[in-house]
Each structure stands twice: as structure tokens, then as C-alpha cells.
Amino acid sequence: MDVLFNTINVRDLLSATDLSDPSSPLSAPDLRLLINRLESHSQSIKAQVRSYLLSHQPEFSSLFSLCSDLVSRTDDVSGEFHNLLRLISDRPIDVEIRQAVSDIDERMKEVKVKKELLGLVRAIWGLTERFRTAKEALRSGQLKFAAQELRELKMAVRLCDGEDKQDEREPLVYGLLKKEWHESFEEMQEVLSKFVDQAVRYDQKLSRVQVKYQLSSDGNDGVDFHEVLEALDVVGLLDYGLARVADMMIKYIITPVINSGSPIAFVEELSKKSEKTVEAILKIERSSAPETGNLDGETIFSEIVQVVKFTCERICFQNAHWVQSFGRLAWTRISEMIISNVLSKVVPEDASKLANFQKIIDRTTEFETALKDLSFISASDSAEQRLSNFAENVEVHFAAKRKTEILAKARKVLLHCDFAIPQEYIRKGGVGRSDGIAKDSSDHVVDLLFLSDRCFVSTAASELMKLVHQTLQDVCLSSPRVALELYHAARDAILLYEAIVPVKQEKQLDGINQVAVLMHNDFLYLSQEILGLAFQYWPEFPDSIKERAVFVDLAPRFLLKAEEVLQREIQVVIYNLKGVVFILEKVRIIWEPILLPSTYYKSMGTVLDSVLSRIVRDILFLDDMAAEETLQLQRLILLMLEGLSSLLGSLGAVTQEMKSQGTTLCSLDDLIPSLRKIRKLAELLDMPLRSITAAWESGELVSCGFTLTEVKDFIKAIFTDSPLRKECLWRIENISF
């Protein structure tokens, strides 16, 4: 059979000469030769295959027989498998088995649930029985047992503190049990409260506290007060029960002790039966001496300790836990009363007396130590040392009290100041007048530290700065903590002027009056004083204050405020002058066509002279004018004269008309003397000092109606003090006309 698997090489079937050139095509004879040789070769192969099959016939026969047998067996297996599938399809045994298993599981679950429900019912029945037992114990006087049961039942019904409604995910039965517990708790609270009220009472007629130890209520006799407190403690109502006692003791015992102006004595009495104390009484015996109103702290502390001892021994049975509970309920209110009614009243009002307060600090510490020994207040919690903390911080309290007093006094001064100018000051001509008041005869006249001048200020400003200076003097003598508070008080007092006065006088600033100019002077004066404060007191300040004591930041603020107030007043004046010009023009329109020319001339002259005289007088009354302000006043006068030009023109026309008719009227300058004076005043506002002096010496100012006092005051208001000003004033004073 190897011939079948050997490859046939075509080249072997041709002659060698036919293949001399592999790339040349074969000829037709060569192809026929090749075909013949292939057919011959094929016949040879077929003959070899037939010979092989014949020689191996038994082996092939056995192989075919085996294959036939295997096919037959496969058909048998396939038939049996189909029979099995048909059997399973007709009777599904696996479904029956699965259903049986599922039924068994359901039955087991039902049994388990029934067992659990049975256990739950037994538990609920048990809890219900315990509730019934607790109520019966409570009604029969077994208070401690009832309280213990109620405490355990609280855990059993899964009740948390502060829980007031049922969780929706919980079974309804838990809600019912919780409701049952709350009802039992409220019943116990009511019963125990009655026992406490019965045990501790205050007899107002006999002024005594009565503590009974054998109690009875609703048929329960012989209930012990100690057991009542135990029950309260077990069930978590101790604070509730003792709070009622604490309220009573504070109201009827502690408060009179603290507020009484005379000593109070306490007498303790015990009533026993069969060697057992059945009643304790604390009598209050007031002193027959008249109340002094200044009972010292040591006496009050001693009396309170007596009351606390009685409470610890006769009410709390010296149980440290009960005493602490009572102390937590009462100490906060007691300490607050002692601080407000005793300690705060003895805080020194003078920094020099702070050292004497040490005795009170010692007494306070001893008092709290006695309360700690009785377990009334905690020995480890410093927060409960309220009295010691207050007393030891007396410097802070003194400073806070002093600061409050300073600001209250400053506020009172600012609110009650009426910004009135004394009549004698107005009559005598103002600040620095030679014929006016003396320099030191009025608190209203003050020196401006950095302007070498003086001005008139309100009572509010002068009194405020006196208070500030007094406060800063105390700063120099005080401890660092006190000094810091007083320093802030001084700053705040100054700032109060800015916060109160402009608001209080707001309506006055909308008119022409002395309030605006006084407020301007006040702000100017305060700015000058503020600049001098640091220089004056800084060297004497405590070292810790020197770095913080800053006043200079306030000076520019007050200076700007002074300018703001003045500019506002100037605008008000300008507005009102425009109104005056409008009114005078309206009068001209009404009078001129109706009145006789001579009558109109004289009447209008009288009105104009009155108005201009008032304006000149008000300008000359100003005691301090800056260079910019003099220019503003000059523009104001020129603006007014320009507005009066038509009116003055009408008067000039009347003069010419009457002259043409042969009637001579007085000149306009004689008719209105103030007209020439106000025109000259406009020139003086922009004139050098030497020129003003020369104008006086030449008699020009006298001819315009100026007096010696007016010229001198005008120079002092415009020009600062200098040798030249003194020389010019001397020259003016020594000229006589």
C-alpha cells in the first residue's frame, strides 16, 4: 500500500531529453506520451490495491462485523434511554419530592412561630404581672420595691430616656407596655411627691421648718421618709423630689437670711419616740434689734452654713449623693443671690481700697470650704466655686462697675445739656473781650492746646472732658486689669459725644442758632484735648497699658466732624440769606408802586438797615474763623449785596426822582448806615492785619460804624496770637478819636 501514498513526479515519466529546457512548453507528442504513461501507472496501482484487499480479506471482514455490532448496540441504548425519558415525563417524582420538602419547611416555620408567640405571650403576661405587683407594692407602702421593679421594667420594655412616641417598626404590644410603664411612673411620681410635701413643710405662722420621718397617705401608715428618698433615687426622681424642698428652703429660709438687715438665729429641736427620731424642727428667731441694712458677709455665711447642715443631716440623712443632688439644685440660685445682694455691694468704689477686699475673699473661701466638707458643692469642680471666683476677680468687677458708672455719667451729661449760652457771656461780648468776662470765670471758656487760642464750648463738652481726665488719672493709679477697663471707658465716653449729641440736636442743626457753632467748637475742643491726652498721661500709665493706650486716632475724626458741622451751618445761613433777599425783593414789588416815594424810601431803608445790622453783628460775634471761612463769609456778603442790587437801585431811583421834584432826601449811606459797614466788613475779611490797623488809625473804620471792641474782637477771631497781633492791638487801643 505504500504506492498509494507515494507522490508521482511527472518528470520521471518523460525522457531526459524532453526536459532539457524546463521553461520550454511540451509538444503534442510529448503530452500524448505523458498521458499513456499515466494510464499505465494508474492500472498498476489498481492492480496492487486489489491484490492487497484480497490478501487481507479476513481482517477486513472482522472489522466490518465489529462495526455492525457496535451500531446495533448503540440503537439498543438509544431505545432504552427514550423509554426512561418517557417514564419520567409521565410520572414527575422530583416535583413530588420537592413539594414534600416545602410542606415540611412550612410546618416547621409554623411550629417555630407558634413557639415564639407563646414565649412572647408568656413574657407579656410576666411583665403585666410585674406591673400589677409594682402598683400593689406602691399602694401598700413598699416604695423601694416598687421603684426597683419600675426601674427594671423600664429596661424590659425597651424604653429610652426622652422617648415620647412609639417606633412604627415595633409591635403594637410594646407601645401598650410603654404606655403602662408611663402610667405607673406618673402614679409613683404623684405618690412620692405627696410624701415629700408631707415630710418637709414650712410653717409661716411659727417661722419654722418641720421635717417628719413617719408618713401616712391614702391608708398607708408608717412610711419612712428615708425610704421615700431611696425610692426617688432608684426611679430617677431624686432631683424632682428634692427640687420642691430646695425651692421652699430658698424662698423661706435662705432669701431672708441674705436680704435681712439684722442677724437671724436658728434653733434645732428633735422629737423622739422609742429612741427613734420622728420629727426635726428648725426654728427661725429674728433679732429684735432694728435692721441696719448692712449685714456683713461673715454673718450671712455662718447662718447659711447652719441651714445647710440641717438640710444635710435632717433631710438628706448625710447621704453624700443626696446632699450633692440638693446642692446642685440650690447652689446656683444661692450663689447668685449672695453675689448680687452681698458681694457686689461691697466691691470697692475706689481703686485704693481694693487691698481691703482681701478679708472678704478669705471669708468667701472659708464659706465654700465648709460647704465642700458637707458635700453640698463639689470639691473638684472649680466652676462651683462661684463666690471665690467672683471675689478673686474683684478687680475686674470693680473695673466693670466703674466703667458702667463713667459711661452712665457721660451719657447723662450729654443727654441733659441744652447748649444754652449764659446771658452774661452774651452781654459782655464773648471770649477774650477786654470788657467781657475774665478768662477763668466760666467753665465754658476753654484753651485750645495746639492753637494758642480760646473758645466757648458747651457744658456737655467741658463736663465730659473733666470726666475723661478724672478717669485717666485713675488709670495711672490702678492695676493693669483695672487700668485697661478704665482706659476703654475714657475712649468710649469721648465717642459718646459723637454718638449722642449730633443725633439729639439734629433738628437744631437745620436752623440758624448757637447750637451749630457750639457743636463746632465742641468737636474742635475735643480734637485738641484728644491730641494732648497721650502726652499728658502716657508716662504715668502702667507698662501694660502704654502699648494699647491710643487716643490720637480719634483726633482727626473729631476735627473733620467740627468742619462738617460748620460747613453745614454755613450752607443753612446761605440758604436763609437767599430767602431774606427774596422776601425783601417781594416787599419792594408790593411797596414801591403803592407807597409814596418818600415813605417807601424811609420804610425800605429802615428794613434794610435792620437786616444788614443783624448780619454784621452775627458775623462779628464769631470768635474763631479760619482763613477759608473768612473767604466763604466774604463771598456770602457779596452774593447777598448782588441780590439786593435791584432793591438798592430802586431806592437810588427814588432819590433822583425826588431831587428832580425839588425835594431832597438823605443819602443812601445815611439812610442805611449798616450798608457801608457791611461792605467794609467784606473788605476786612480779606485784608492783612497791618492794613486793618492802618484803616483804624486813619479813622476809616470808625466812619463806617465800627467800634473799638468790634475791631479788636474781629482781629482776635481771624488772626492767631503773635507778637504782630499784640502790637497791632496795642496800636488800636492807644488811638483815640
Side-chain angles (χ1 to χ4, degrees):
M1 291 299 293
D2 294 338
V3 70
L4 296 176
F5 302 100
N6 291 332
T7 59
I8 299 175
N9 192 344
V10 176
R11 295 179 185 273
D12 295 337
L13 300 178
L14 297 175
S15 62
T17 56
D18 296 333
L19 298 175
S20 59
D21 186 4
S23 61
S24 61
L26 294 175
S27 62
D30 291 335
L31 290 176
R32 282 194 296 268
L33 177 63
L34 179 61
I35 293 171
N36 292 330
R37 289 182 177 180
L38 286 174
E39 288 179 352
S40 175
H41 190 70
S42 174
Q43 291 297 328
S44 175
I45 291 173
K46 289 179 179 179
Q48 291 179 9
V49 169
R50 183 172 178 277
S51 175
Y52 181 81
L53 291 175
L54 291 175
S55 63
H56 293 82
Q57 182 177 4
E59 287 84 354
F60 280 105
S61 177
S62 177
L63 177 62
F64 292 148
S65 177
L66 179 61
C67 290
S68 177
D69 186 40
L70 287 175
V71 171
S72 177
R73 290 182 181 180
T74 300
D75 291 339
D76 294 340
V77 172
S78 176
E80 292 178 359
F81 181 72
H82 281 89
N83 293 334
L84 179 62
L85 289 177
R86 185 171 60 255
L87 178 63
I88 293 174
S89 300
D90 295 340
R91 299 179 63 188
I93 188 62
D94 60 326
V95 176
E96 295 180 2
I97 295 173
R98 185 168 61 252
Q99 183 64 41
V101 172
S102 177
D103 291 343
I104 293 172
D105 289 341
E106 290 293 329
R107 299 295 184 273
M108 292 298 294
K109 289 180 180 179
E110 290 179 3
V111 171
K112 184 178 180 181
V113 169
K114 289 180 179 179
K115 287 183 178 179
E116 291 177 350
L117 288 175
L118 181 60
L120 178 61
V121 171
R122 289 175 179 173
I124 294 173
W125 180 83
L127 292 175
T128 304
E129 283 296 308
R130 292 184 65 181
F131 275 120
R132 184 183 61 79
T133 303
K135 289 183 178 180
E136 291 179 354
L138 178 64
R139 293 163 185 168
S140 63
Q142 302 176 39
L143 304 181
K144 186 175 181 180
F145 172 77
Q148 291 172 341
E149 282 291 291
L150 205 58
R151 181 180 61 184
E152 294 175 3
L153 285 169
K154 180 179 180 181
M155 299 176 61
V157 299
R158 303 177 183 179
L159 187 65
C160 301
D161 292 335
E163 183 179 348
D164 56 357
K165 60 182 179 180
Q166 182 182 355
D167 190 342
E168 295 180 354
R169 295 172 297 178
E170 284 186 340
L172 179 62
V173 67
Y174 275 106
L176 297 175
L177 291 173
K178 290 178 181 180
K179 182 180 178 181
E180 179 72 17
W181 187 91
H182 281 295
E183 291 176 353
S184 302
F185 181 80
E186 291 174 359
E187 183 180 353
M188 174 167 286
Q189 181 176 348
E190 182 180 357
V191 171
L192 295 178
S193 298
K194 289 181 179 179
F195 280 126
V196 172
D197 293 341
Q198 183 183 4
V200 185
R201 292 183 176 180
Y202 179 76
D203 191 333
Q204 295 189 35
K205 294 182 179 179
L206 300 177
S207 297
R208 67 179 189 176
V209 177
Q210 183 180 13
V211 183
K212 294 178 63 177
Y213 297 107
Q214 298 299 316
L215 310 172
S216 61
S217 177
D218 298 331
N220 292 326
D221 298 331
V223 176
D224 190 70
F225 180 44
H226 187 276
E227 186 178 358
V228 172
L229 294 179
E230 286 182 326
L232 286 169
D233 195 5
V234 169
V235 82
L237 287 172
L238 183 63
D239 286 352
Y240 173 80
L242 291 180
R244 304 163 72 92
V245 179
D247 291 342
M248 184 202 69
M249 296 293 286
I250 291 174
K251 180 178 180 180
Y252 295 110
I253 308 296
I254 302 298
T255 300
V257 166
I258 295 175
N259 296 331
S260 176
S262 58
I264 296 177
F266 295 99
V267 178
E268 183 178 343
E269 296 180 356
L270 299 178
S271 177
K272 296 186 178 182
K273 187 177 181 180
S274 301
E275 300 300 324
K276 187 176 182 180
T277 303
V278 295
E279 186 179 60
I281 295 174
L282 183 66
K283 290 184 177 181
I284 303 173
E285 297 182 354
R286 301 182 182 276
S287 175
S288 59
E291 293 188 2
T292 60
N294 57 351
L295 197 62
D296 63 280
E298 185 175 0
T299 302
I300 293 175
F301 293 160
S302 175
E303 294 171 353
I304 293 177
V305 168
Q306 285 184 269
V307 176
V308 172
K309 282 184 177 179
F310 177 83
T311 303
C312 296
E313 295 175 0
R314 306 306 173 190
I315 297 178
C316 297
F317 299 95
Q318 295 183 329
N319 184 307
H321 174 60
W322 296 351
V323 174
Q324 290 172 3
S325 177
F326 189 90
R328 284 195 305 270
L329 296 168
W331 177 237
T332 300
R333 287 178 286 172
I334 294 174
S335 60
E336 287 176 354
M337 285 193 293
I338 293 175
I339 290 173
S340 60
N341 295 284
V342 180
L343 296 182
S344 62
K345 292 183 178 180
V346 295
V347 172
E349 297 182 357
D350 188 348
S352 61
K353 296 180 181 179
L354 285 174
N356 298 330
F357 197 77
Q358 184 60 43
K359 181 179 178 181
I360 296 176
I361 296 177
D362 296 339
R363 297 291 179 271
T364 303
T365 303
E366 293 172 0
F367 171 61
E368 289 186 336
T369 301
L371 297 181
K372 291 177 183 178
D373 294 340
L374 294 171
S375 299
F376 190 76
I377 62 176
S378 174
S380 58
D381 189 359
S382 59
E384 293 196 6
Q385 301 174 10
R386 301 173 182 270
L387 305 185
S388 298
N389 294 336
F390 180 91
E392 290 173 357
N393 291 323
V394 65
E395 286 188 342
V396 176
H397 304 309
F398 164 76
K401 180 179 179 181
R402 186 82 177 90
K403 181 179 180 180
T404 302
E405 292 174 352
I406 291 169
L407 296 180
K409 187 174 181 179
R411 189 177 293 106
K412 182 178 180 181
V413 167
L414 296 174
L415 288 174
H416 292 82
C417 178
D418 57 3
F419 280 79
I421 300 177
Q423 291 299 317
E424 65 273 12
Y425 178 83
I426 297 176
R427 289 195 300 269
K428 296 181 180 180
V431 178
R433 282 23 174 195
S434 59
D435 57 345
I437 58 178
K439 285 187 176 182
D440 298 327
S441 62
S442 174
D443 291 337
H444 296 279
V445 182
V446 296
D447 292 312
L448 300 176
L449 298 179
F450 298 95
L451 295 179
S452 300
D453 212 337
R454 314 180 79 232
C455 71
F456 189 92
V457 297
S458 68
T459 304
S462 60
E463 291 296 325
L464 179 64
M465 283 313 303
K466 285 181 182 178
L467 181 62
V468 170
H469 283 291
Q470 182 182 354
T471 303
L472 294 179
Q473 290 171 7
D474 291 341
V475 171
C476 298
L477 301 174
S478 301
S479 64
R481 286 197 295 180
V482 176
L484 182 60
E485 287 297 318
L486 295 183
Y487 156 70
H488 286 298
R491 278 183 62 96
D492 293 345
I494 295 173
L495 291 172
L496 277 178
Y497 185 96
E498 182 186 18
I500 293 177
V501 174
V503 177
K504 183 175 181 291
Q505 302 295 336
E506 178 67 25
K507 292 183 179 179
Q508 299 294 328
L509 295 178
D510 292 332
I512 300 176
N513 50 62
Q514 71 270 17
V515 172
V517 291
L518 270 179
M519 195 181 298
H520 161 75
N521 284 357
D522 285 354
F523 276 113
L524 181 62
Y525 166 64
L526 292 174
S527 69
Q528 295 286 301
E529 289 293 311
I530 290 169
L531 287 173
L533 290 177
F535 296 101
Q536 184 174 358
Y537 294 104
W538 190 85
E540 302 298 327
F541 281 166
D543 292 338
S544 60
I545 303 299
K546 289 181 178 180
E547 298 178 357
R548 305 183 183 183
V550 178
F551 291 98
V552 70
D553 61 308
L554 300 179
R557 176 175 175 174
F558 277 70
L559 189 60
L560 290 174
K561 195 68 177 179
E563 184 64 21
E564 177 185 331
V565 172
L566 183 60
Q567 291 301 321
R568 176 176 177 176
E569 182 66 7
I570 290 174
Q571 294 303 317
V572 172
V573 172
I574 292 174
Y575 175 80
N576 282 275
L577 284 176
K578 290 180 179 179
V580 170
V581 173
F582 174 78
I583 293 172
L584 290 174
E585 184 65 21
K586 184 176 180 181
V587 171
R588 181 189 70 80
I589 295 173
I590 296 173
W591 285 6
E592 187 176 14
I594 299 175
L595 293 176
L596 294 174
S598 60
T599 304
Y600 166 72
Y601 186 78
K602 293 178 182 179
S603 300
M604 185 56 72
T606 302
V607 172
L608 276 175
D609 186 58
S610 176
V611 172
L612 297 179
S613 297
R614 175 63 183 272
I615 294 173
V616 171
R617 184 171 68 252
D618 288 346
I619 293 175
L620 292 176
F621 182 74
L622 297 175
D623 58 4
D624 182 27
M625 289 182 282
E628 184 179 351
E629 294 167 0
T630 59
L631 295 177
Q632 290 175 343
L633 286 173
Q634 184 186 50
R635 289 194 296 270
L636 181 62
I637 294 173
L638 296 176
L639 178 64
M640 180 193 64
L641 293 176
E642 182 181 353
L644 294 174
S645 59
S646 61
L647 178 57
L648 296 175
S650 70
L651 293 176
V654 171
T655 303
Q656 296 296 328
E657 181 182 353
M658 295 301 293
K659 186 177 181 180
S660 64
Q661 296 177 4
T663 302
T664 303
L665 299 176
C666 62
S667 65
L668 199 59
D669 288 340
D670 293 333
L671 177 66
I672 312 173
S674 58
L675 179 59
R676 181 170 51 183
K677 188 174 183 178
I678 198 169
R679 285 172 174 166
K680 193 62 182 177
L681 179 59
E683 296 178 10
L684 293 177
L685 288 169
D686 192 23
M687 189 178 291
L689 178 55
R690 292 186 183 275
S691 299
I692 296 174
T693 305
W696 174 260
E697 291 175 337
S698 66
E700 181 183 357
L701 298 183
V702 175
S703 64
C704 292
F706 287 93
T707 65
L708 174 63
T709 302
E710 289 176 340
V711 175
K712 289 172 59 180
D713 293 342
F714 180 76
I715 291 175
K716 291 179 180 179
I718 294 180
F719 301 100
T720 58
D721 189 16
S722 65
L724 177 60
R725 192 181 82 166
K726 292 179 180 178
E727 177 189 347
C728 292
L729 289 175
W730 180 84
R731 288 167 55 184
I732 291 172
E733 290 173 353
N734 287 277
I735 294 294
S736 59
F737 297 97

